[in-house]
Amino acid sequence: MNGMSSMTPLGNSSDVLFLMLGAVMVFAMHAGFAFLEVGTVRKKNQVNAFVKILTDWSVSTVMYFLIGFPIAYGINFLKPVKQLLGDTQGYDITHFFFLLCFAACIPAIISGGIAERAKFWPQVTAGAIFAGLSYPLFESLIWGKNASLLQDVFKRVGGAEFHDYAGSVVVHSIGGWIALPAVIILGPRVGRYLSGKSHPIPISNIPFLALGSWILAIGWFGFNVMSAGHLEKISGVVLVNSLMAMVGGVLGALISSKNDPGFVHNGALAGLIAICAGSDIMHPLFAFVTGVIAAVIFVFGFQIEQEKLKIDDVLGVWPLHGVIGSWGGIAAGLFGQEALGGLGGVTIVSQLAGTASAIVFALVNGFLVYSVLAKTVGIRLDREQEMQGADLAIHSIGAYPEDHVR
């Protein structure tokens, strides 16, 4: 991910357009998050999923505009429009929109893990904290104004800076590892585990789940390719590596899950999450391998999480975003080496160190925020509300209102 940089006058408008198109593509991914969750939860919680994602997006926008972007990059927009435009046709404020789409992924990721039993406003509050404060702080240390503080440490210890081109670690790993404390503190849904035995809760809609996966996959090419920041820095390798990792994820999940449609569609996302970090430096064949491994991690990681650890993470966001995001950071160090046809400039030590730092940062933030909320305002619906469903309990309307007409 490239930070702020100077541009020639001739490139201003094209760069603004380039980032705008990328921002719109990544913004569309939030519809993918919504449909993926709606297809996975039960019918009585579908409205809640839609409203959560849209509300989290809106609150994240305000928080990242006023607080988050200035924390990450030292640029604020509380100035006249003439200054916002400057000599670059408003490149910085367009860059804000693009990077907002990344920041807003944090509450969207968490939403899938805590689905079907979380209170509405406490989660909106948590999302505001993560998008406006926690995420931008880590972003500033890897991509932003404070990058030298942490990157210099990685360079001294590992021989290279930590490389995360489009956010396997900075976005996805952070979101997934923050979600883990939320899911644990919240506890499993009513009836999910009884007397120590697992009772899987069926999902509601495979077509919606598949639609969510497709929307996310298409938008992901904006997520990765437009992370170049400037038109002149666009890379066809990033494009093809994203494609190869995606199909590697699909095929890896197809085989390892024995043709389970939920895993197949999430396998595409697993591959795309894993390739973000090294999409600019890997050879396409190793991008494919990265995606295959990511899918296998998700299939077996989800089963271990749900059946062995008995963690009721509804969409499996911890293994999908957290663990696989971490795998993406490590994979960049493995497969980005020149000896394997990559561009080089990365080391395993630095990639491990950067990945580990994100895990620690996310876990501390997640446990702190959700522990405080749980002990103050509470974060879980009561049993009666949960059995009724979040749609009626929170929004007073179901996904299919005519079903409730007497």
Side-chain angles (χ1 to χ4, degrees), residues 28-267:
M29 291 174 68
H30 289 265
F33 280 120
F35 276 100
L36 193 72
E37 183 173 336
V38 167
T40 305
V41 300
R42 289 165 287 183
K43 287 197 298 182
K44 63 182 180 179
N45 297 300
Q46 291 179 333
V47 169
N48 181 245
F50 277 129
V51 177
K52 266 193 308 177
I53 298 292
L54 186 58
T55 302
D56 281 337
W57 164 266
S58 301
V59 172
S60 294
T61 299
V62 175
M63 291 296 292
Y64 196 68
F65 183 87
L66 294 175
I67 302 173
F69 194 81
I71 288 175
Y73 298 100
I75 298 172
N76 73 76
F77 303 116
L78 302 180
K79 56 187 71 171
V81 172
K82 183 179 292 186
Q83 293 181 36
L84 296 181
L85 284 171
D87 298 324
T88 62
Q89 295 297 106
Y91 178 85
D92 285 344
I93 202 165
T94 307
H95 204 189
F96 149 77
F97 182 18
F98 181 70
L99 292 173
L100 158 68
C101 298
F102 286 49
C105 285
I106 305 301
I109 289 167
I110 298 167
S111 177
I114 63 172
E116 300 203 291
R117 76 274 202 203
K119 287 184 176 180
F120 185 78
W121 287 110
Q123 175 51 29
V124 171
T125 301
I129 294 169
F130 296 135
L133 295 171
S134 302
Y135 169 80
L137 178 57
F138 193 79
E139 181 184 18
S140 77
L141 294 170
I142 303 299
W143 292 335
K145 67 175 184 177
N146 298 314
S148 61
L149 296 178
L150 196 54
Q151 291 287 20
D152 286 351
V153 174
F154 296 142
K155 193 169 185 178
R156 285 198 304 271
V157 173
E161 292 187 348
F162 174 66
H163 187 88
D164 189 1
Y165 184 72
S168 288
V169 173
V170 176
V171 180
H172 296 283
S173 179
I174 289 287
W177 284 97
I178 286 178
L180 179 59
V183 173
I184 292 173
I185 293 171
L186 199 61
R189 290 167 290 176
V190 173
R192 179 64 181 88
Y193 303 105
L194 297 173
S195 302
K197 294 184 179 180
S198 174
H199 295 269
I201 297 174
I203 65 178
S204 63
N205 196 308
I206 291 291
F208 274 179
L209 184 156
L211 176 62
S213 175
W214 274 106
I215 294 172
L216 281 163
I218 292 168
W220 224 292
F221 290 91
F223 196 99
N224 286 359
V225 175
M226 271 70 164
S227 286
H230 300 281
L231 188 59
E232 65 182 12
K233 296 180 180 179
I234 193 169
S235 168
V237 170
V238 174
L239 175 70
V240 174
N241 278 346
S242 301
L243 173 65
M244 295 298 283
M246 173 194 162
V247 299
V250 171
L251 297 177
L254 179 74
I255 295 169
S256 60
S257 74
K258 299 179 181 179
N259 210 349
D260 180 285
F263 281 123
V264 169
H265 285 90
N266 276 287

Side-chain angles (χ1 to χ4, degrees), residues 276-301:
C276 289
S279 57
D280 62 324
I281 59 174
M282 286 188 200
H283 188 279
L285 290 177
F286 284 104
F288 178 82
V289 172
T290 297
V292 171
I293 294 173
V296 173
I297 290 172
F298 177 64
V299 170
F300 292 103

Side-chain angles (χ1 to χ4, degrees), residues 327-347:
W327 158 240
I330 296 167
L334 288 171
F335 302 137
Q337 302 290 337
E338 287 188 58
L340 296 176
L343 285 181
V346 290
T347 68

Side-chain angles (χ1 to χ4, degrees), residues 297-317:
I297 290 172
F298 177 64
V299 170
F300 292 103
F302 183 82
Q303 293 170 352
I304 292 170
E305 177 193 39
Q306 301 284 326
E307 305 305 324
K308 301 294 184 183
L309 301 178
K310 292 184 170 53
I311 297 174
D312 188 18
D313 175 358
V314 180
L315 269 68
V317 299

